[in-house]
Amino acid sequence: MAALWTLPVLLSASLLGFLVLASLVEHPQPHNQPPLLGSNGSDGSPSISLPRALRVFSMDYQHVQAPFEIVLWIMLASLAKLGFHWSGRVPAVVPESCVLIMVGLLVGGVIYGVRHSAPATLSADAFFLFLLPPIVLDAGYFLPGRLFFENLGTILWYAVLGTLWNVMGIGLSLYGVCLLAQSSLGDVSLLHCLLFSSLIAAVDPVAVLSVFQEMQVNEQLHILVFGESLLNDAVTVVLYKLFESFLRLPSVSGLDMLLGGCKVVVVGLGGLCIGLFFGLLAALTSRFTFKAQVIAPLFVFLYSYLSYLTSEMLHLSGIMAIVTCAVSMKQYVEANVSERSNTSIQYFLKMWSSVSETLIFIFLGVSTIQDVHMWSWPFVSATLLLCLIWRGTGVLLLTAMVNKLRRNAVTFRDQFIIAYGGLRGAICFSLVFLIDDFPKKRLFITTTIVVILFTVCVQGMTIKPLVELLDVKRKKRALPTVSEEIHSRLIDHLLAGMEDVIGYWGQHYWKDKFEHFNKKYLRRFLIREAHQAHSSILRVYQELERREQRADQEAPTSVDPRSHSRPLLPEEMASIRCILSRNLQNFNNKLTPAYSRHTLHQDASMDTAGKPLHRNQRYSCNTITHFPQFQREDEELRESHRPRCGLSRSHTVCSTSPSSALLDPSAPAALAQASSADQRTAGEDQVTPNHQIPEERAPKKQVSFVLENEKQK
């Protein structure tokens, strides 16, 4: 095992040597360029410098410098990630993000020691335009929609109010610290403190995802932390740009603050609308890709990235736009494209986001080795302590209020993990370099790096033991079955009906309204006819099949040596799926249409709804003969049920008498006589000569329906 994981280490060391050499190379003028025209000779006349001989081998590093170094960095990051997963017990103790930052620190230290100058840092434009969009797109496309929208109110409660709580609390507290330490921090204004608090309050989804996916916590806790970190970034970026605009104004008035609040709303809603527009456009485009399935996955990436760039161009929330685009187009794109295209989308998104995440953490470590640091014990210690205090108190207070409205209350253990899982990452690191130059900018950079290293390394390493110590509920490993999905939908339908009856517009009511609108308009417009599953059971079966296929592809393959059965061929699997789908469809067509609050189907029993019902009224199906002994038993049965009558509605009793026929020895003869009489009657009624009634015909089942009004008069 040790020999296996030493290979990535050796390869990483060799790549590190290449990077150091590339950084030391001075770029002379290449020899294979065209001759320089216009140079003066010794006599002042123009001359042409020609090579003396033909070169067999030459090198032009400057021509490939940028892509070559990018490939080397990606290769180094990938080998570091590979070595981490082959390093035995290290992944069980140290989170991956912490190891990658340490690798970045090592690389930055080596480059700094060789060159005696700071290595290149990760620019804010490179982070926000190239590295962040793949991670957010992957998170939004594979977002568990049901859990997210069921907890959307709580997530928005944490993301909006919780972020405002942290920004205002940390900013005002830091300003108080600056007032107490006038000698060293006297030149830090209130707006500078609020600007710094807006970026330091950003909970990074990259760090949160990398830690919480390894712990496998329960779905509710995971979606609360992940959803809060995802929307928290959009809020913090908006607040950062707002305070940055306030700093550039000569003075801030009340009107400016009011306009700033309107700007926050416009930026958020504008990003939401742009993402929804591009998501529906991507779904509509995927409807016409059935003749060119090869390029179908390309539209998912292009429209998503275009929504992000458009929002950034209009100074709206790019994170909100790309998340909305991914969520809105997912179900329609998956229904339009083939299974191979869905698999391609899944793997490319996972690969793209994993590479971006690895590069971000390595560049965080590399960018830490700088000459721009400034240290202040009061400011750094106060920032680290205030981040923990204000986040913990905010989670406790907001959860205490939101638990009064939730059916499934957030437990104290989950609250502790939510507060402790507020990890900082590349979002705040990139924003701090965008601050305009002022005397304490280097102090802000140093404090941000310390907070990132503490939250990712210390909190990231200790959160897993805390989850095990507090016995936090873990994620259920098994995928839901078809029966569980159907019963879950049945419960949702019943709850939506109850909310509609009592006049309460809850989440089930709006979910049912959206499902009706989606089925009636959106799916017909955005999905091809050939791919629209008419049976809801068939849609559930197809969705679970896709989930199981993804789980099987992500899980390591394990072969049982004891099984000697031949694996099924792809043609056999396709035949089995076709048979199951056809049988489910036929079964659904044979049944009567299911009840829907939007489309009420007419029933045969409605024909007699207008007729008055009398006491002890009897209806007979086909030919029904009543025998005296059966009538006596029916009267005794009604007498036995009469004391329990207290309802004012009609009660239907279906009276069948197989047990009575077994007890009474004369019943079989009576049944035979009745059946022969029925045959004679049916023979007399038949006037068509081509149809003859067989003599030995099975006796009809004798059923008696008794409609009885149980209202006490």
Side-chain angles (χ1 to χ4, degrees):
M1 182 66 68
L4 290 175
W5 70 269
T6 51
L7 179 61
V9 174
L10 294 176
L11 293 176
S12 302
S14 62
L15 286 177
L16 178 59
F18 274 115
L19 288 172
V20 174
L21 290 176
S23 64
L24 292 175
V25 169
E26 295 188 11
H27 311 296
Q29 182 178 347
H31 297 286
N32 57 350
Q33 284 188 353
L36 299 176
L37 299 176
S39 60
N40 296 326
S42 59
D43 56 351
S45 61
S47 62
I48 299 176
S49 59
L50 298 175
R52 296 181 180 180
L54 180 65
R55 292 182 180 273
V56 178
F57 175 78
S58 61
M59 185 180 70
D60 187 5
Y61 177 73
Q62 187 178 8
H63 179 62
V64 296
Q65 178 186 3
F68 188 77
E69 291 183 358
I70 290 174
V71 170
L72 286 181
W73 278 111
I74 295 176
M75 185 67 71
L76 177 64
S78 303
L79 288 175
K81 191 180 185 74
L82 184 63
F84 168 76
H85 288 285
W86 277 98
S87 56
R89 295 177 58 92
V90 175
V93 180
V94 184
E96 180 182 343
S97 55
C98 181
V99 174
L100 294 176
I101 289 178
M102 295 304 172
V103 172
L105 287 172
L106 178 62
V107 174
V110 172
I111 294 177
Y112 186 82
V114 174
R115 294 179 54 183
H116 301 289
S117 62
T121 61
L122 179 64
S123 64
D125 290 337
F127 172 75
F128 282 105
L129 296 180
F130 301 107
L131 296 181
L132 183 62
I135 299 171
V136 182
L137 175 60
D138 173 71
Y141 193 81
F142 297 104
L143 185 72
R146 179 186 176 90
L147 284 173
F148 180 78
F149 288 106
E150 284 181 353
N151 298 276
L152 183 59
T154 307
I155 291 172
L156 291 175
W157 191 261
Y158 286 144
V160 180
L161 293 182
T163 303
L164 290 174
W165 172 272
N166 290 328
V167 169
M168 300 306 296
I170 295 174
L172 294 176
S173 302
L174 283 178
Y175 183 66
V177 173
C178 294
L179 291 179
L180 294 177
Q182 284 284 344
S183 58
S184 58
L185 302 173
D187 53 349
V188 181
S189 64
L190 175 61
L191 282 178
H192 280 105
C193 290
L194 291 175
L195 179 67
F196 178 71
S197 65
S198 65
L199 66 92
I200 206 66
V203 179
D204 192 11
V206 181
V208 170
L209 276 177
S210 61
V211 172
F212 274 75
Q213 284 180 353
E214 297 175 7
M215 293 190 302
Q216 296 292 326
V217 296
N218 62 83
E219 290 86 353
Q220 177 177 306
L221 177 58
H222 181 270
I223 198 62
L224 288 178
V225 177
F226 168 64
E228 187 257 341
S229 64
L230 194 62
L231 300 182
N232 168 274
D233 290 339
V235 178
T236 52
V237 171
V238 173
L239 291 177
Y240 174 85
K241 294 180 179 179
L242 178 64
F243 290 129
E244 188 180 32
S245 302
F246 285 165
L247 275 173
R248 295 171 181 173
L249 294 177
S251 61
V252 180
S253 61
L255 180 61
D256 294 331
M257 297 179 65
L258 180 62
L259 293 177
C262 296
K263 182 181 179 180
V264 171
V265 177
V266 170
V267 167
L269 294 180
L272 184 70
C273 294
I274 289 179
L276 186 62
F277 170 75
F278 280 101
L280 296 179
L281 190 61
L284 181 61
T285 307
S286 66
R287 179 179 181 178
F288 304 99
T289 58
F290 62 96
K291 292 186 178 181
Q293 288 288 343
V294 178
I295 63 172
L298 187 61
F299 292 107
V300 175
F301 314 127
L302 292 180
Y303 280 113
S304 303
Y305 193 50
L306 192 59
S307 68
Y308 183 85
L309 295 179
T310 305
S311 298
E312 291 294 325
M313 178 181 64
L314 299 176
H315 296 285
L316 302 176
S317 177
I319 297 176
M320 186 72 69
I322 196 170
V323 170
T324 308
C325 178
V327 172
S328 59
M329 72 177 173
K330 179 186 177 182
Q331 62 169 319
Y332 310 110
V333 170
E334 285 187 344
N336 284 326
V337 302
S338 62
E339 289 296 331
R340 291 184 179 180
S341 298
N342 280 324
T343 305
S344 302
I345 293 171
Q346 174 192 358
Y347 275 97
F348 190 82
L349 283 178
K350 293 296 182 183
M351 179 198 67
W352 197 10
S353 64
S354 178
V355 171
S356 300
E357 174 186 338
T358 306
L359 285 174
I360 286 172
F361 284 121
I362 286 186
F363 271 107
L364 273 177
V366 172
S367 303
T368 304
I369 310 299
Q370 297 289 333
D371 295 327
V372 296
H373 296 300
M374 179 186 292
W375 189 261
S376 174
W377 278 105
F379 192 83
V380 174
S381 303
T383 302
L384 195 58
L385 185 62
L386 289 172
C387 286
L388 296 174
I389 292 176
W390 283 102
R391 179 167 178 85
T393 54
V395 169
L396 291 176
L397 291 176
L398 293 176
T399 309
M401 290 185 285
V402 80
N403 273 343
K404 297 179 180 179
L405 305 175
R406 288 177 58 92
R407 294 193 306 271
N408 300 326
V410 182
T411 63
F412 179 76
R413 298 176 182 179
D414 292 347
Q415 296 177 39
F416 180 80
I417 298 301
I418 292 173
Y420 198 76
L423 308 181
R424 273 67 174 180
I427 296 286
C428 51
F429 185 79
S430 300
L431 289 176
V432 74
F433 281 97
L434 294 177
I435 299 178
D436 296 335
D437 290 333
F438 80 106
K440 290 297 185 291
K441 179 180 179 179
R442 294 189 300 166
L443 177 61
F444 285 1
I445 294 174
T446 304
T447 308
T448 303
I449 292 174
V450 171
V451 172
I452 292 173
L453 293 178
F454 179 83
T455 55
V456 173
C457 296
V458 178
Q459 292 182 221
M461 291 177 61
T462 56
I463 192 171
K464 190 172 183 179
L466 287 174
V467 167
E468 296 177 353
L469 180 64
L470 296 175
D471 195 17
V472 177
K473 186 179 177 182
R474 295 303 184 93
K475 182 180 179 181
K476 187 174 66 172
R477 299 282 183 175
L479 291 173
T481 61
V482 177
S483 177
E484 292 176 351
E485 286 287 338
I486 292 175
H487 282 82
S488 177
R489 294 191 178 194
L490 174 63
I491 293 174
D492 291 342
H493 191 75
L494 290 176
L495 290 176
M498 294 177 184
E499 290 180 355
D500 194 12
V501 169
I502 64 177
Y504 174 69
W505 290 0
Q507 62 176 357
H508 295 90
Y509 174 82
W510 291 112
K511 180 182 177 181
D512 189 71
K513 289 292 184 183
F514 173 75
E515 287 295 334
H516 175 63
F517 178 78
N518 184 31
K519 181 179 179 181
K520 189 175 181 180
Y521 299 106
L522 294 181
R523 291 185 66 89
R524 293 183 179 179
F525 182 67
L526 299 176
I527 299 179
R528 300 198 308 270
E529 277 302 321
H531 284 211
Q532 290 186 8
H534 300 283
S535 171
S536 59
I537 299 179
L538 185 58
R539 287 200 300 269
V540 172
Y541 167 73
Q542 293 173 350
E543 176 65 25
L544 292 178
E545 189 181 38
R546 282 195 291 266
R547 292 185 195 174
E548 187 174 358
Q549 183 181 6
R550 291 171 185 171
D552 292 341
Q553 291 171 352
E554 292 178 356
T557 58
S558 59
V559 180
D560 189 2
R562 296 174 296 178
S563 61
H564 302 283
S565 59
R566 179 181 63 84
L568 295 175
L569 298 176
E571 295 81 6
E572 296 174 347
M573 291 298 298
S575 176
I576 292 174
R577 291 193 185 97
C578 182
I579 292 172
L580 287 176
S581 302
R582 185 170 61 250
N583 290 343
L584 285 173
Q585 184 68 35
N586 294 337
F587 177 74
N588 186 74
N589 292 335
K590 290 178 182 178
L591 294 178
T592 57
Y595 166 75
S596 174
R597 297 189 301 107
H598 307 290
T599 55
L600 295 177
H601 303 279
Q602 297 294 331
D603 196 0
S605 61
M606 298 296 293
D607 299 333
T608 59
K611 298 180 180 180
L613 297 179
H614 304 283
R615 186 176 180 83
N616 299 336
Q617 183 178 359
R618 297 175 181 270
Y619 287 89
S620 61
C621 302
N622 295 331
T623 304
I624 298 178
T625 305
H626 304 282
F627 304 103
Q629 61 272 25
F630 298 157
Q631 294 178 2
R632 287 195 300 269
E633 291 175 359
D634 292 340
E635 292 176 359
E636 293 176 0
L637 180 62
R638 290 196 299 272
E639 290 294 335
S640 62
H641 284 283
R642 188 164 296 170
R644 292 181 292 178
C645 297
L647 301 176
S648 59
R649 59 183 181 180
S650 299
H651 183 70
T652 304
V653 179
C654 180
S655 175
T656 61
S657 54
S659 58
S660 303
L662 291 176
L663 293 177
D664 194 348
S666 61
L671 286 173
Q673 296 175 3
S675 61
S676 60
D678 293 339
Q679 292 176 4
R680 289 193 299 269
T681 307
E684 294 173 357
D685 294 337
Q686 294 290 340
V687 294
T688 305
N690 295 331
H691 296 83
Q692 299 295 333
I693 303 299
E695 296 181 359
E696 297 180 356
R697 183 176 180 181
K700 294 184 179 180
K701 185 182 293 185
Q702 305 300 317
V703 184
S704 173
F705 292 94
V706 180
L707 301 179
E708 183 177 55
N709 191 350
E710 296 180 355
K711 182 178 179 181
Q712 296 291 339
K713 296 182 178 180

